[in-house]
Amino acid sequence: MIRLIHTADWHLGQNFFGNDRTQEHEHFLTWMLAVIREQRPDALLIAGDVFDNANPPASAERLFWDFLDRLTSENPRLRVIITSGNHDSANRLSAPEAIYRRIGVQVRSSLPKNMKGHTDWESLCIPVSSIDNDTEEVVIVAVPFLRSDDYDFVESPAVSMRMFYETLLKNVSKRFPHLPVVLMAHYFAVGSKISQTEGNDYFTVGGQNAVDSSSLTERLTYGALGHIHHAQPVGGKENIWYSGSALPMSFMERDYHHGVNMVEIDGEASVKVSRILYEPLRSMMSIPGTGTASCEEVIRMLGQLPAEDKKDNKDTYPYLEVKVLEKIPNPQMVSAIQQAAAQRKVCLCRIERVRPQSEDMLSDNVVVTAEDIQKLVPAKIARDAYASVYGEEMPDELARMIAEVKRECETEAE
């Protein structure tokens, strides 16, 4: 039996609304070391987005190398295979190649080419044996994130990428006809569950780069995917999985269950997948839980949270977003919410001010001529703008303040 741990989307170096997440990622990687120590897998598969961007801070790179040093020192027979994701710099990830070889880590950050400029399918294949039995093997097909010039374009990116993977697996089947095949890849798969907000990060207009993995399932023993942060099997198939992100990357991910996949392969077709759950150092919360609330309601809900304790480690406080409904302008609103949150065990990240929309905002655009503009009265412009944003007439007090400002401006101009 071969035992693999599948993880992806670490996003080391992410800065969350000005908050450095180094301590959170260190907590995750320490947990990873403990899991590997306990489970004794034959290989660790990291399927892309090791870093949050192409130029990660030094602290993130140090964290990554410290982890690999401890990992390979404690587990000398463990195979470690890393592929790049769309957030990674292929050149930066592969730069320390000599060090990787020395510590037994294999990285595929860009698509290898042969002397003729064609894809070197063989270089993507990495046979892995059990740490206890060299005769038991699987072949890991480690594919980095594909750019548009990595495959021949046919009809659309989705069709082209599907054909790339089908050709790849045909070549693998010829070379390793009797070995279980595990594909590492980083793409958006048709049938994956994502939120509407997350969708902007995963696919282009029309979903043209969404890959249909249904034609791959019969050729694979297991598919270890990265890219989508919600851990899940793809399209109802239990042998192709997203392991999910290490930490929640946005407030949209506050209810995701984080962790890694333990994959047990016994023979060519038998695969068992189980989740090992991880509790992040810091959680995420929204007030209110859904929708919006008035400033008064938000402050009341904040008052129900545990009070701040000076002895606490504030680096463990949950991240908080507030969605407040602003029916009329309230200059003191942000300050009042910040003061209320500062007394509680939370780290306030953002205050989203939501204004009610009037029906006028939803109507068709009106064509305005130059003559129309010349006839516009500043006070009317202000009243119309207020009505379009807040859906009601401007209060008399605010109208008087605007009129006073207008008079003062006209006086100074004279």
Side-chain angles (χ1 to χ4, degrees):
M1 178 182 292
I2 301 291
R3 305 177 78 242
L4 313 171
I5 286 184
H6 165 208
T7 180
D9 297 285
W10 291 1
H11 289 273
L12 302 180
Q14 190 204 30
N15 187 284
F16 193 72
F17 291 93
N19 296 286
D20 185 344
R21 308 193 77 178
T22 299
Q23 190 173 1
E24 296 173 74
H25 278 115
E26 185 175 11
H27 184 269
F28 168 75
L29 294 176
T30 300
W31 174 83
M32 277 285 299
L33 288 170
V35 168
I36 291 170
R37 197 177 302 123
E38 178 183 347
Q39 298 293 331
R40 295 185 73 248
D42 302 300
L44 172 66
L45 312 182
I46 308 174
D49 282 356
V50 175
F51 297 105
D52 190 57
N53 58 64
N55 188 27
S59 58
E61 292 192 289
R62 185 180 303 112
L63 196 61
F64 176 59
W65 283 105
D66 285 348
F67 169 77
L68 289 183
D69 178 56
R70 288 189 59 187
L71 176 69
T72 54
S73 297
E74 294 178 7
N75 308 274
R77 298 203 63 189
L78 175 73
R79 300 294 295 276
V80 181
I81 302 173
I82 304 171
T83 54
S84 63
N86 57 304
H87 281 255
D88 297 312
S89 163
N91 291 334
R92 181 180 288 269
L93 192 60
S94 62
E97 185 175 350
I99 300 175
Y100 287 135
R101 286 198 300 268
R102 189 182 309 161
I103 62 177
V105 174
Q106 298 199 55
V107 174
R108 300 291 185 271
S109 62
S110 58
L111 202 63
K113 302 287 185 177
N114 58 27
M115 296 295 291
K116 296 182 179 180
H118 301 146
T119 301
D120 185 355
W121 306 109
E122 186 172 337
S123 293
L124 297 174
C125 300
I126 305 173
V128 170
S129 60
S130 167
I131 59 176
D132 297 322
N133 186 350
D134 290 339
T135 63
E136 295 182 355
E137 286 188 314
V138 299
V139 57
I140 309 295
V141 186
V143 183
F145 178 74
L146 297 179
R147 310 289 176 177
S148 58
D149 56 351
D150 285 330
Y151 49 80
D152 296 328
F153 186 84
V154 181
E155 294 185 24
S156 69
V159 173
S160 303
M161 289 175 67
R162 190 192 72 225
M163 292 182 65
F164 171 91
Y165 283 108
E166 288 177 348
T167 303
L168 167 62
L169 294 178
K170 286 179 182 177
N171 279 271
V172 174
S173 297
K174 291 179 181 178
R175 185 160 185 262
F176 302 95
H178 303 299
L179 286 184
V181 176
V182 174
L183 172 68
M184 292 177 66
H186 196 91
Y187 62 73
F188 171 62
V190 172
S192 305
K193 298 177 182 178
I194 59 174
S195 68
Q196 184 175 358
T197 302
E198 288 176 289
N200 296 329
D201 292 333
Y202 296 130
F203 47 82
T204 56
V205 176
Q208 290 187 1
N209 65 340
V211 179
D212 184 357
S213 299
S214 60
S215 62
L216 311 179
T217 55
E218 293 182 1
R219 301 175 183 270
L220 295 177
T221 302
Y222 181 73
L225 301 185
H227 198 32
I228 290 181
H229 296 170
H230 182 193
Q232 60 186 292
V234 174
K237 305 294 184 181
E238 291 299 325
N239 67 325
I240 298 183
W241 272 79
Y242 285 104
S243 62
S245 57
L247 307 177
M249 295 290 107
S250 71
F251 285 104
M252 291 299 300
E253 300 179 18
R254 65 182 183 271
D255 295 326
Y256 285 6
H257 298 294
H258 301 273
V260 298
N261 280 13
M262 170 56 72
V263 184
E264 297 176 307
I265 299 174
D266 190 4
E268 289 187 48
S270 175
V271 59
K272 176 184 176 183
V273 181
S274 56
R275 290 284 292 167
I276 302 177
L277 296 180
Y278 165 68
E279 186 67 33
L281 184 64
R282 302 180 79 153
S283 60
M284 294 193 180
M285 61 183 300
S286 298
I287 289 184
T290 58
T292 61
S294 67
C295 179
E296 294 75 15
E297 291 172 324
V298 166
I299 292 176
R300 178 184 59 79
M301 286 185 274
L302 285 170
Q304 296 174 347
L305 298 177
E308 179 190 19
D309 190 333
K310 301 298 182 182
K311 299 179 181 178
D312 284 341
N313 177 8
K314 294 185 178 181
D315 291 335
T316 64
Y317 283 2
Y319 293 123
L320 171 68
E321 69 168 352
V322 168
K323 294 184 179 181
V324 58
L325 181 63
E326 187 180 25
K327 292 184 177 180
I328 59 175
N330 182 356
Q332 288 78 39
M333 180 187 68
V334 171
S335 177
I337 293 175
Q338 289 174 334
Q339 291 179 18
Q343 303 172 33
R344 302 296 157 182
K345 292 185 177 184
V346 292
C347 174
L348 180 61
C349 292
R350 72 172 179 181
I351 301 173
E352 183 178 347
R353 304 165 75 164
V354 181
R355 298 179 176 90
Q357 293 185 342
S358 67
E359 292 184 1
D360 291 341
M361 293 183 66
L362 304 177
S363 61
D364 295 334
N365 292 332
V366 178
V367 178
V368 180
T369 65
E371 291 76 12
D372 293 331
I373 294 176
Q374 292 177 348
K375 296 177 183 178
L376 291 175
V377 178
K380 184 177 186 305
I381 294 175
R383 288 195 299 271
D384 290 346
Y386 184 95
S388 68
V389 172
Y390 295 101
E392 58 185 37
E393 292 294 323
M394 178 185 292
D396 293 340
E397 182 179 357
L398 182 57
R400 284 194 297 271
M401 292 173 62
I402 292 176
E404 181 63 27
V405 170
K406 175 177 178 295
R407 282 194 297 271
E408 290 182 4
C409 291
E410 291 172 344
T411 301
E412 292 180 1
E414 294 173 355

